[in-house]
Amino acid sequence: SASAVGRSSDFRAQEIANVSWSFARLRLKDEPLLEAMLKAAEEHLHEFTTQNLSNTIWACARLEVSNHPVVERLASSSFERAGELRAQDVCSTMWSC
């Protein structure tokens, strides 16, 4: 995770979502990595697909991160794009609420 933290500013939306999802899937709550991913997510929010949004929101919920300003921005963006969400995106996002 240390190398990912050091390179997180280079990550794009897909990489942010993938790394976040992977750590959450394994239930590995690495605080420095999580903060780096959220910072990168904030910087690249405009690049996120609905799947990137739902996977990152799901990862935060799985790692019990809820009252974070970036998580709130991710959720707001997802709700603003509700018409674009696929069934899996809706399920993942709703589970996270």
Side-chain angles (χ1 to χ4, degrees):
S1 71
S3 72
V5 170
R7 296 182 16 200
S8 63
S9 62
D10 297 331
F11 285 10
R12 297 285 188 212
Q14 183 70 49
E15 295 159 330
I16 296 163
N18 288 351
V19 170
S20 300
W21 182 90
S22 297
F23 272 74
R25 179 72 177 94
L26 296 171
R27 294 182 189 239
L28 296 174
K29 189 172 183 178
D30 182 308
E31 293 289 341
L33 177 69
L34 186 56
E35 281 301 317
M37 290 299 102
L38 289 172
K39 182 177 184 239
E42 184 172 39
E43 293 170 4
H44 295 281
L45 184 58
H46 64 281
E47 299 171 11
F48 273 59
T49 65
T50 56
Q51 183 176 2
N52 297 151
L53 287 167
S54 66
N55 287 351
T56 306
I57 292 167
W58 177 88
C60 289
R62 174 100 173 199
L63 295 173
E64 299 178 352
V65 177
S66 57
N67 293 324
H68 195 289
V70 177
V71 176
E72 292 174 15
R73 283 190 207 93
L74 291 165
S76 291
S77 182
S78 182
F79 289 121
E80 288 168 8
R81 298 172 63 187
E84 300 172 42
L85 296 173
R86 297 172 306 127
Q88 182 63 46
D89 301 333
V90 172
C91 291
S92 294
T93 303
M94 293 307 295
W95 180 89
S96 303
C97 292

PDB file of all heavy atoms in Angstrom, residues 3-41:
ATOM      1  N   SER A   3       3.501   1.992  -1.751  1.00  0.00           N
ATOM      2  CA  SER A   3       3.817   2.447  -3.105  1.00  0.00           C
ATOM      3  C   SER A   3       2.580   3.055  -3.764  1.00  0.00           C
ATOM      4  O   SER A   3       2.695   3.996  -4.534  1.00  0.00           O
ATOM      5  CB  SER A   3       4.388   1.317  -3.957  1.00  0.00           C
ATOM      6  OG  SER A   3       3.398   0.394  -4.305  1.00  0.00           O
ATOM      7  N   ALA A   4       1.401   2.526  -3.473  1.00  0.00           N
ATOM      8  CA  ALA A   4       0.162   3.101  -4.019  1.00  0.00           C
ATOM      9  C   ALA A   4      -0.075   4.497  -3.464  1.00  0.00           C
ATOM     10  O   ALA A   4      -0.490   5.395  -4.184  1.00  0.00           O
ATOM     11  CB  ALA A   4      -1.025   2.201  -3.719  1.00  0.00           C
ATOM     12  N   VAL A   5       0.191   4.694  -2.187  1.00  0.00           N
ATOM     13  CA  VAL A   5       0.024   6.020  -1.582  1.00  0.00           C
ATOM     14  C   VAL A   5       0.945   7.017  -2.272  1.00  0.00           C
ATOM     15  O   VAL A   5       0.535   8.121  -2.621  1.00  0.00           O
ATOM     16  CB  VAL A   5       0.299   5.995  -0.055  1.00  0.00           C
ATOM     17  CG1 VAL A   5       0.374   7.397   0.514  1.00  0.00           C
ATOM     18  CG2 VAL A   5      -0.770   5.188   0.661  1.00  0.00           C
ATOM     19  N   GLY A   6       2.178   6.621  -2.512  1.00  0.00           N
ATOM     20  CA  GLY A   6       3.139   7.507  -3.150  1.00  0.00           C
ATOM     21  C   GLY A   6       2.785   7.861  -4.581  1.00  0.00           C
ATOM     22  O   GLY A   6       3.159   8.917  -5.068  1.00  0.00           O
ATOM     23  N   ARG A   7       2.058   6.981  -5.245  1.00  0.00           N
ATOM     24  CA  ARG A   7       1.689   7.221  -6.643  1.00  0.00           C
ATOM     25  C   ARG A   7       0.247   7.654  -6.817  1.00  0.00           C
ATOM     26  O   ARG A   7      -0.220   7.848  -7.934  1.00  0.00           O
ATOM     27  CB  ARG A   7       1.903   5.934  -7.447  1.00  0.00           C
ATOM     28  CG  ARG A   7       3.338   5.508  -7.513  1.00  0.00           C
ATOM     29  CD  ARG A   7       3.519   4.275  -8.355  1.00  0.00           C
ATOM     30  NE  ARG A   7       2.352   4.031  -9.188  1.00  0.00           N
ATOM     31  CZ  ARG A   7       2.056   2.860  -9.727  1.00  0.00           C
ATOM     32  NH1 ARG A   7       2.832   1.844  -9.537  1.00  0.00           N
ATOM     33  NH2 ARG A   7       0.998   2.700 -10.478  1.00  0.00           N
ATOM     34  N   SER A   8      -0.504   7.813  -5.750  1.00  0.00           N
ATOM     35  CA  SER A   8      -1.940   8.066  -5.849  1.00  0.00           C
ATOM     36  C   SER A   8      -2.286   9.332  -6.621  1.00  0.00           C
ATOM     37  O   SER A   8      -3.342   9.408  -7.240  1.00  0.00           O
ATOM     38  CB  SER A   8      -2.582   8.100  -4.460  1.00  0.00           C
ATOM     39  OG  SER A   8      -2.051   9.177  -3.708  1.00  0.00           O
ATOM     40  N   SER A   9      -1.407  10.314  -6.622  1.00  0.00           N
ATOM     41  CA  SER A   9      -1.698  11.537  -7.372  1.00  0.00           C
ATOM     42  C   SER A   9      -1.688  11.284  -8.876  1.00  0.00           C
ATOM     43  O   SER A   9      -2.244  12.061  -9.644  1.00  0.00           O
ATOM     44  CB  SER A   9      -0.717  12.648  -7.007  1.00  0.00           C
ATOM     45  OG  SER A   9       0.598  12.263  -7.355  1.00  0.00           O
ATOM     46  N   ASP A  10      -1.081  10.176  -9.304  1.00  0.00           N
ATOM     47  CA  ASP A  10      -1.052   9.805 -10.719  1.00  0.00           C
ATOM     48  C   ASP A  10      -2.244   8.943 -11.120  1.00  0.00           C
ATOM     49  O   ASP A  10      -2.435   8.683 -12.296  1.00  0.00           O
ATOM     50  CB  ASP A  10       0.225   9.027 -11.041  1.00  0.00           C
ATOM     51  CG  ASP A  10       1.477   9.857 -10.835  1.00  0.00           C
ATOM     52  OD1 ASP A  10       1.412  11.091 -10.977  1.00  0.00           O
ATOM     53  OD2 ASP A  10       2.523   9.261 -10.518  1.00  0.00           O
ATOM     54  N   PHE A  11      -3.019   8.473 -10.150  1.00  0.00           N
ATOM     55  CA  PHE A  11      -4.133   7.566 -10.443  1.00  0.00           C
ATOM     56  C   PHE A  11      -5.263   8.290 -11.158  1.00  0.00           C
ATOM     57  O   PHE A  11      -5.536   9.455 -10.896  1.00  0.00           O
ATOM     58  CB  PHE A  11      -4.694   6.961  -9.152  1.00  0.00           C
ATOM     59  CG  PHE A  11      -3.848   5.883  -8.539  1.00  0.00           C
ATOM     60  CD1 PHE A  11      -2.563   5.617  -8.984  1.00  0.00           C
ATOM     61  CD2 PHE A  11      -4.341   5.130  -7.507  1.00  0.00           C
ATOM     62  CE1 PHE A  11      -1.790   4.622  -8.413  1.00  0.00           C
ATOM     63  CE2 PHE A  11      -3.589   4.124  -6.922  1.00  0.00           C
ATOM     64  CZ  PHE A  11      -2.307   3.872  -7.383  1.00  0.00           C
ATOM     65  N   ARG A  12      -5.926   7.575 -12.031  1.00  0.00           N
ATOM     66  CA  ARG A  12      -7.130   8.046 -12.709  1.00  0.00           C
ATOM     67  C   ARG A  12      -8.339   7.403 -12.021  1.00  0.00           C
ATOM     68  O   ARG A  12      -8.199   6.564 -11.139  1.00  0.00           O
ATOM     69  CB  ARG A  12      -7.093   7.655 -14.191  1.00  0.00           C
ATOM     70  CG  ARG A  12      -5.967   8.291 -14.945  1.00  0.00           C
ATOM     71  CD  ARG A  12      -6.317   9.729 -15.171  1.00  0.00           C
ATOM     72  NE  ARG A  12      -5.355  10.359 -16.067  1.00  0.00           N
ATOM     73  CZ  ARG A  12      -5.031  11.609 -15.965  1.00  0.00           C
ATOM     74  NH1 ARG A  12      -5.551  12.352 -15.034  1.00  0.00           N
ATOM     75  NH2 ARG A  12      -4.185  12.138 -16.811  1.00  0.00           N
ATOM     76  N   ALA A  13      -9.510   7.785 -12.451  1.00  0.00           N
ATOM     77  CA  ALA A  13     -10.745   7.331 -11.812  1.00  0.00           C
ATOM     78  C   ALA A  13     -10.825   5.806 -11.700  1.00  0.00           C
ATOM     79  O   ALA A  13     -11.157   5.277 -10.636  1.00  0.00           O
ATOM     80  CB  ALA A  13     -11.950   7.880 -12.565  1.00  0.00           C
ATOM     81  N   GLN A  14     -10.537   5.097 -12.787  1.00  0.00           N
ATOM     82  CA  GLN A  14     -10.632   3.634 -12.772  1.00  0.00           C
ATOM     83  C   GLN A  14      -9.670   3.024 -11.761  1.00  0.00           C
ATOM     84  O   GLN A  14     -10.022   2.102 -11.026  1.00  0.00           O
ATOM     85  CB  GLN A  14     -10.339   3.076 -14.168  1.00  0.00           C
ATOM     86  CG  GLN A  14     -10.472   1.569 -14.266  1.00  0.00           C
ATOM     87  CD  GLN A  14     -11.909   1.104 -14.163  1.00  0.00           C
ATOM     88  OE1 GLN A  14     -12.771   1.632 -14.842  1.00  0.00           O
ATOM     89  NE2 GLN A  14     -12.165   0.129 -13.318  1.00  0.00           N
ATOM     90  N   GLU A  15      -8.459   3.548 -11.691  1.00  0.00           N
ATOM     91  CA  GLU A  15      -7.470   3.023 -10.747  1.00  0.00           C
ATOM     92  C   GLU A  15      -7.872   3.319  -9.310  1.00  0.00           C
ATOM     93  O   GLU A  15      -7.692   2.472  -8.425  1.00  0.00           O
ATOM     94  CB  GLU A  15      -6.097   3.620 -11.063  1.00  0.00           C
ATOM     95  CG  GLU A  15      -5.589   3.180 -12.431  1.00  0.00           C
ATOM     96  CD  GLU A  15      -4.535   4.101 -13.004  1.00  0.00           C
ATOM     97  OE1 GLU A  15      -4.545   5.310 -12.713  1.00  0.00           O
ATOM     98  OE2 GLU A  15      -3.698   3.586 -13.771  1.00  0.00           O
ATOM     99  N   ILE A  16      -8.415   4.490  -9.071  1.00  0.00           N
ATOM    100  CA  ILE A  16      -8.885   4.855  -7.727  1.00  0.00           C
ATOM    101  C   ILE A  16      -9.984   3.895  -7.292  1.00  0.00           C
ATOM    102  O   ILE A  16      -9.959   3.350  -6.185  1.00  0.00           O
ATOM    103  CB  ILE A  16      -9.392   6.310  -7.707  1.00  0.00           C
ATOM    104  CG1 ILE A  16      -8.246   7.276  -8.000  1.00  0.00           C
ATOM    105  CG2 ILE A  16     -10.078   6.630  -6.379  1.00  0.00           C
ATOM    106  CD1 ILE A  16      -8.699   8.673  -8.416  1.00  0.00           C
ATOM    107  N   ALA A  17     -10.947   3.678  -8.166  1.00  0.00           N
ATOM    108  CA  ALA A  17     -12.053   2.772  -7.852  1.00  0.00           C
ATOM    109  C   ALA A  17     -11.547   1.346  -7.633  1.00  0.00           C
ATOM    110  O   ALA A  17     -11.975   0.668  -6.690  1.00  0.00           O
ATOM    111  CB  ALA A  17     -13.089   2.808  -8.968  1.00  0.00           C
ATOM    112  N   ASN A  18     -10.631   0.886  -8.489  1.00  0.00           N
ATOM    113  CA  ASN A  18     -10.120  -0.484  -8.376  1.00  0.00           C
ATOM    114  C   ASN A  18      -9.337  -0.711  -7.088  1.00  0.00           C
ATOM    115  O   ASN A  18      -9.523  -1.723  -6.410  1.00  0.00           O
ATOM    116  CB  ASN A  18      -9.237  -0.839  -9.573  1.00  0.00           C
ATOM    117  CG  ASN A  18     -10.017  -1.030 -10.843  1.00  0.00           C
ATOM    118  OD1 ASN A  18     -11.236  -1.069 -10.851  1.00  0.00           O
ATOM    119  ND2 ASN A  18      -9.298  -1.136 -11.942  1.00  0.00           N
ATOM    120  N   VAL A  19      -8.448   0.210  -6.762  1.00  0.00           N
ATOM    121  CA  VAL A  19      -7.651   0.062  -5.535  1.00  0.00           C
ATOM    122  C   VAL A  19      -8.559   0.127  -4.310  1.00  0.00           C
ATOM    123  O   VAL A  19      -8.458  -0.706  -3.397  1.00  0.00           O
ATOM    124  CB  VAL A  19      -6.536   1.129  -5.459  1.00  0.00           C
ATOM    125  CG1 VAL A  19      -5.867   1.134  -4.097  1.00  0.00           C
ATOM    126  CG2 VAL A  19      -5.501   0.889  -6.554  1.00  0.00           C
ATOM    127  N   SER A  20      -9.477   1.081  -4.297  1.00  0.00           N
ATOM    128  CA  SER A  20     -10.408   1.211  -3.162  1.00  0.00           C
ATOM    129  C   SER A  20     -11.246  -0.052  -3.003  1.00  0.00           C
ATOM    130  O   SER A  20     -11.390  -0.585  -1.901  1.00  0.00           O
ATOM    131  CB  SER A  20     -11.325   2.421  -3.362  1.00  0.00           C
ATOM    132  OG  SER A  20     -10.561   3.594  -3.461  1.00  0.00           O
ATOM    133  N   TRP A  21     -11.794  -0.531  -4.118  1.00  0.00           N
ATOM    134  CA  TRP A  21     -12.632  -1.729  -4.094  1.00  0.00           C
ATOM    135  C   TRP A  21     -11.830  -2.933  -3.609  1.00  0.00           C
ATOM    136  O   TRP A  21     -12.310  -3.722  -2.790  1.00  0.00           O
ATOM    137  CB  TRP A  21     -13.208  -1.999  -5.482  1.00  0.00           C
ATOM    138  CG  TRP A  21     -14.122  -3.180  -5.517  1.00  0.00           C
ATOM    139  CD1 TRP A  21     -15.468  -3.168  -5.315  1.00  0.00           C
ATOM    140  CD2 TRP A  21     -13.760  -4.546  -5.756  1.00  0.00           C
ATOM    141  NE1 TRP A  21     -15.962  -4.439  -5.421  1.00  0.00           N
ATOM    142  CE2 TRP A  21     -14.924  -5.311  -5.686  1.00  0.00           C
ATOM    143  CE3 TRP A  21     -12.544  -5.183  -6.027  1.00  0.00           C
ATOM    144  CZ2 TRP A  21     -14.930  -6.688  -5.870  1.00  0.00           C
ATOM    145  CZ3 TRP A  21     -12.543  -6.557  -6.204  1.00  0.00           C
ATOM    146  CH2 TRP A  21     -13.729  -7.294  -6.130  1.00  0.00           C
ATOM    147  N   SER A  22     -10.609  -3.084  -4.106  1.00  0.00           N
ATOM    148  CA  SER A  22      -9.783  -4.242  -3.741  1.00  0.00           C
ATOM    149  C   SER A  22      -9.480  -4.284  -2.249  1.00  0.00           C
ATOM    150  O   SER A  22      -9.603  -5.335  -1.615  1.00  0.00           O
ATOM    151  CB  SER A  22      -8.471  -4.225  -4.531  1.00  0.00           C
ATOM    152  OG  SER A  22      -8.711  -4.332  -5.908  1.00  0.00           O
ATOM    153  N   PHE A  23      -9.094  -3.156  -1.693  1.00  0.00           N
ATOM    154  CA  PHE A  23      -8.799  -3.124  -0.268  1.00  0.00           C
ATOM    155  C   PHE A  23     -10.064  -3.360   0.555  1.00  0.00           C
ATOM    156  O   PHE A  23     -10.033  -4.065   1.566  1.00  0.00           O
ATOM    157  CB  PHE A  23      -8.113  -1.814   0.123  1.00  0.00           C
ATOM    158  CG  PHE A  23      -6.612  -1.880  -0.015  1.00  0.00           C
ATOM    159  CD1 PHE A  23      -6.023  -1.848  -1.271  1.00  0.00           C
ATOM    160  CD2 PHE A  23      -5.793  -1.989   1.089  1.00  0.00           C
ATOM    161  CE1 PHE A  23      -4.646  -1.929  -1.423  1.00  0.00           C
ATOM    162  CE2 PHE A  23      -4.413  -2.078   0.963  1.00  0.00           C
ATOM    163  CZ  PHE A  23      -3.835  -2.050  -0.307  1.00  0.00           C
ATOM    164  N   ALA A  24     -11.176  -2.811   0.105  1.00  0.00           N
ATOM    165  CA  ALA A  24     -12.435  -3.017   0.827  1.00  0.00           C
ATOM    166  C   ALA A  24     -12.888  -4.475   0.733  1.00  0.00           C
ATOM    167  O   ALA A  24     -13.377  -5.037   1.710  1.00  0.00           O
ATOM    168  CB  ALA A  24     -13.509  -2.092   0.275  1.00  0.00           C
ATOM    169  N   ARG A  25     -12.713  -5.073  -0.429  1.00  0.00           N
ATOM    170  CA  ARG A  25     -13.101  -6.474  -0.618  1.00  0.00           C
ATOM    171  C   ARG A  25     -12.354  -7.377   0.354  1.00  0.00           C
ATOM    172  O   ARG A  25     -12.904  -8.339   0.886  1.00  0.00           O
ATOM    173  CB  ARG A  25     -12.809  -6.890  -2.063  1.00  0.00           C
ATOM    174  CG  ARG A  25     -13.144  -8.314  -2.388  1.00  0.00           C
ATOM    175  CD  ARG A  25     -14.663  -8.500  -2.449  1.00  0.00           C
ATOM    176  NE  ARG A  25     -15.002  -9.850  -2.828  1.00  0.00           N
ATOM    177  CZ  ARG A  25     -15.252 -10.827  -1.959  1.00  0.00           C
ATOM    178  NH1 ARG A  25     -15.203 -10.604  -0.659  1.00  0.00           N
ATOM    179  NH2 ARG A  25     -15.559 -12.028  -2.387  1.00  0.00           N
ATOM    180  N   LEU A  26     -11.098  -7.026   0.621  1.00  0.00           N
ATOM    181  CA  LEU A  26     -10.287  -7.792   1.566  1.00  0.00           C
ATOM    182  C   LEU A  26     -10.440  -7.303   3.010  1.00  0.00           C
ATOM    183  O   LEU A  26      -9.815  -7.839   3.913  1.00  0.00           O
ATOM    184  CB  LEU A  26      -8.807  -7.714   1.159  1.00  0.00           C
ATOM    185  CG  LEU A  26      -8.477  -8.342  -0.185  1.00  0.00           C
ATOM    186  CD1 LEU A  26      -7.039  -8.008  -0.587  1.00  0.00           C
ATOM    187  CD2 LEU A  26      -8.690  -9.847  -0.148  1.00  0.00           C
ATOM    188  N   ARG A  27     -11.265  -6.265   3.175  1.00  0.00           N
ATOM    189  CA  ARG A  27     -11.487  -5.629   4.484  1.00  0.00           C
ATOM    190  C   ARG A  27     -10.189  -5.135   5.111  1.00  0.00           C
ATOM    191  O   ARG A  27      -9.958  -5.280   6.311  1.00  0.00           O
ATOM    192  CB  ARG A  27     -12.233  -6.561   5.418  1.00  0.00           C
ATOM    193  CG  ARG A  27     -13.632  -6.844   4.950  1.00  0.00           C
ATOM    194  CD  ARG A  27     -14.380  -7.725   5.913  1.00  0.00           C
ATOM    195  NE  ARG A  27     -15.629  -8.133   5.313  1.00  0.00           N
ATOM    196  CZ  ARG A  27     -16.816  -7.875   5.829  1.00  0.00           C
ATOM    197  NH1 ARG A  27     -16.920  -7.223   6.950  1.00  0.00           N
ATOM    198  NH2 ARG A  27     -17.903  -8.283   5.215  1.00  0.00           N
ATOM    199  N   LEU A  28      -9.340  -4.562   4.288  1.00  0.00           N
ATOM    200  CA  LEU A  28      -8.077  -3.991   4.750  1.00  0.00           C
ATOM    201  C   LEU A  28      -8.236  -2.472   4.815  1.00  0.00           C
ATOM    202  O   LEU A  28      -8.225  -1.802   3.788  1.00  0.00           O
ATOM    203  CB  LEU A  28      -6.936  -4.355   3.797  1.00  0.00           C
ATOM    204  CG  LEU A  28      -6.606  -5.832   3.680  1.00  0.00           C
ATOM    205  CD1 LEU A  28      -5.564  -6.054   2.597  1.00  0.00           C
ATOM    206  CD2 LEU A  28      -6.113  -6.376   5.011  1.00  0.00           C
ATOM    207  N   LYS A  29      -8.405  -1.961   6.000  1.00  0.00           N
ATOM    208  CA  LYS A  29      -8.583  -0.521   6.173  1.00  0.00           C
ATOM    209  C   LYS A  29      -7.229   0.108   6.465  1.00  0.00           C
ATOM    210  O   LYS A  29      -6.785   0.167   7.595  1.00  0.00           O
ATOM    211  CB  LYS A  29      -9.580  -0.223   7.285  1.00  0.00           C
ATOM    212  CG  LYS A  29      -9.958   1.238   7.344  1.00  0.00           C
ATOM    213  CD  LYS A  29     -11.096   1.476   8.314  1.00  0.00           C
ATOM    214  CE  LYS A  29     -11.512   2.930   8.292  1.00  0.00           C
ATOM    215  NZ  LYS A  29     -12.640   3.175   9.183  1.00  0.00           N
ATOM    216  N   ASP A  30      -6.594   0.558   5.427  1.00  0.00           N
ATOM    217  CA  ASP A  30      -5.293   1.208   5.506  1.00  0.00           C
ATOM    218  C   ASP A  30      -5.547   2.710   5.444  1.00  0.00           C
ATOM    219  O   ASP A  30      -5.833   3.254   4.371  1.00  0.00           O
ATOM    220  CB  ASP A  30      -4.437   0.731   4.330  1.00  0.00           C
ATOM    221  CG  ASP A  30      -3.043   1.300   4.330  1.00  0.00           C
ATOM    222  OD1 ASP A  30      -2.899   2.534   4.434  1.00  0.00           O
ATOM    223  OD2 ASP A  30      -2.098   0.507   4.203  1.00  0.00           O
ATOM    224  N   GLU A  31      -5.495   3.374   6.584  1.00  0.00           N
ATOM    225  CA  GLU A  31      -5.862   4.798   6.672  1.00  0.00           C
ATOM    226  C   GLU A  31      -5.084   5.695   5.704  1.00  0.00           C
ATOM    227  O   GLU A  31      -5.681   6.504   5.001  1.00  0.00           O
ATOM    228  CB  GLU A  31      -5.722   5.313   8.107  1.00  0.00           C
ATOM    229  CG  GLU A  31      -6.706   4.701   9.084  1.00  0.00           C
ATOM    230  CD  GLU A  31      -8.144   5.150   8.887  1.00  0.00           C
ATOM    231  OE1 GLU A  31      -8.382   6.184   8.237  1.00  0.00           O
ATOM    232  OE2 GLU A  31      -9.034   4.442   9.381  1.00  0.00           O
ATOM    233  N   PRO A  32      -3.740   5.575   5.631  1.00  0.00           N
ATOM    234  CA  PRO A  32      -3.018   6.438   4.682  1.00  0.00           C
ATOM    235  C   PRO A  32      -3.444   6.191   3.231  1.00  0.00           C
ATOM    236  O   PRO A  32      -3.603   7.138   2.456  1.00  0.00           O
ATOM    237  CB  PRO A  32      -1.548   6.078   4.895  1.00  0.00           C
ATOM    238  CG  PRO A  32      -1.485   5.507   6.272  1.00  0.00           C
ATOM    239  CD  PRO A  32      -2.806   4.812   6.476  1.00  0.00           C
ATOM    240  N   LEU A  33      -3.651   4.935   2.877  1.00  0.00           N
ATOM    241  CA  LEU A  33      -4.085   4.625   1.520  1.00  0.00           C
ATOM    242  C   LEU A  33      -5.489   5.165   1.271  1.00  0.00           C
ATOM    243  O   LEU A  33      -5.764   5.771   0.230  1.00  0.00           O
ATOM    244  CB  LEU A  33      -4.060   3.119   1.267  1.00  0.00           C
ATOM    245  CG  LEU A  33      -4.568   2.707  -0.111  1.00  0.00           C
ATOM    246  CD1 LEU A  33      -3.598   3.165  -1.194  1.00  0.00           C
ATOM    247  CD2 LEU A  33      -4.791   1.215  -0.170  1.00  0.00           C
ATOM    248  N   LEU A  34      -6.369   4.976   2.220  1.00  0.00           N
ATOM    249  CA  LEU A  34      -7.744   5.447   2.074  1.00  0.00           C
ATOM    250  C   LEU A  34      -7.790   6.962   1.893  1.00  0.00           C
ATOM    251  O   LEU A  34      -8.483   7.479   1.009  1.00  0.00           O
ATOM    252  CB  LEU A  34      -8.571   5.017   3.287  1.00  0.00           C
ATOM    253  CG  LEU A  34     -10.058   5.290   3.235  1.00  0.00           C
ATOM    254  CD1 LEU A  34     -10.690   4.662   2.001  1.00  0.00           C
ATOM    255  CD2 LEU A  34     -10.718   4.770   4.494  1.00  0.00           C
ATOM    256  N   GLU A  35      -7.036   7.679   2.705  1.00  0.00           N
ATOM    257  CA  GLU A  35      -6.987   9.146   2.562  1.00  0.00           C
ATOM    258  C   GLU A  35      -6.416   9.559   1.210  1.00  0.00           C
ATOM    259  O   GLU A  35      -6.905  10.489   0.568  1.00  0.00           O
ATOM    260  CB  GLU A  35      -6.178   9.776   3.695  1.00  0.00           C
ATOM    261  CG  GLU A  35      -6.933   9.895   4.987  1.00  0.00           C
ATOM    262  CD  GLU A  35      -8.212  10.725   4.875  1.00  0.00           C
ATOM    263  OE1 GLU A  35      -8.202  11.792   4.228  1.00  0.00           O
ATOM    264  OE2 GLU A  35      -9.231  10.287   5.437  1.00  0.00           O
ATOM    265  N   ALA A  36      -5.384   8.833   0.756  1.00  0.00           N
ATOM    266  CA  ALA A  36      -4.793   9.141  -0.557  1.00  0.00           C
ATOM    267  C   ALA A  36      -5.796   8.881  -1.674  1.00  0.00           C
ATOM    268  O   ALA A  36      -5.894   9.665  -2.626  1.00  0.00           O
ATOM    269  CB  ALA A  36      -3.523   8.317  -0.767  1.00  0.00           C
ATOM    270  N   MET A  37      -6.552   7.791  -1.577  1.00  0.00           N
ATOM    271  CA  MET A  37      -7.550   7.473  -2.604  1.00  0.00           C
ATOM    272  C   MET A  37      -8.674   8.504  -2.612  1.00  0.00           C
ATOM    273  O   MET A  37      -9.138   8.925  -3.670  1.00  0.00           O
ATOM    274  CB  MET A  37      -8.137   6.072  -2.385  1.00  0.00           C
ATOM    275  CG  MET A  37      -7.180   4.934  -2.648  1.00  0.00           C
ATOM    276  SD  MET A  37      -6.572   4.857  -4.350  1.00  0.00           S
ATOM    277  CE  MET A  37      -4.945   5.551  -4.151  1.00  0.00           C
ATOM    278  N   LEU A  38      -9.095   8.938  -1.431  1.00  0.00           N
ATOM    279  CA  LEU A  38     -10.164   9.939  -1.365  1.00  0.00           C
ATOM    280  C   LEU A  38      -9.694  11.289  -1.907  1.00  0.00           C
ATOM    281  O   LEU A  38     -10.439  11.976  -2.601  1.00  0.00           O
ATOM    282  CB  LEU A  38     -10.695  10.063   0.059  1.00  0.00           C
ATOM    283  CG  LEU A  38     -11.506   8.859   0.544  1.00  0.00           C
ATOM    284  CD1 LEU A  38     -11.827   8.990   2.025  1.00  0.00           C
ATOM    285  CD2 LEU A  38     -12.772   8.688  -0.276  1.00  0.00           C
ATOM    286  N   LYS A  39      -8.455  11.637  -1.613  1.00  0.00           N
ATOM    287  CA  LYS A  39      -7.903  12.877  -2.159  1.00  0.00           C
ATOM    288  C   LYS A  39      -7.835  12.805  -3.685  1.00  0.00           C
ATOM    289  O   LYS A  39      -8.227  13.735  -4.390  1.00  0.00           O
ATOM    290  CB  LYS A  39      -6.514  13.142  -1.582  1.00  0.00           C
ATOM    291  CG  LYS A  39      -5.893  14.434  -2.066  1.00  0.00           C
ATOM    292  CD  LYS A  39      -4.544  14.685  -1.411  1.00  0.00           C
ATOM    293  CE  LYS A  39      -4.027  16.032  -1.853  1.00  0.00           C
ATOM    294  NZ  LYS A  39      -2.772  16.004  -2.513  1.00  0.00           N
ATOM    295  N   ALA A  40      -7.368  11.663  -4.196  1.00  0.00           N
ATOM    296  CA  ALA A  40      -7.291  11.475  -5.642  1.00  0.00           C
ATOM    297  C   ALA A  40      -8.692  11.458  -6.261  1.00  0.00           C
ATOM    298  O   ALA A  40      -8.911  12.012  -7.348  1.00  0.00           O
ATOM    299  CB  ALA A  40      -6.551  10.178  -5.966  1.00  0.00           C
ATOM    300  N   ALA A  41      -9.651  10.856  -5.568  1.00  0.00           N
ATOM    301  CA  ALA A  41     -11.035  10.827  -6.061  1.00  0.00           C
ATOM    302  C   ALA A  41     -11.591  12.243  -6.192  1.00  0.00           C
ATOM    303  O   ALA A  41     -12.260  12.568  -7.181  1.00  0.00           O
ATOM    304  CB  ALA A  41     -11.914   9.998  -5.128  1.00  0.00           C
TER     305      ALA A  41
END
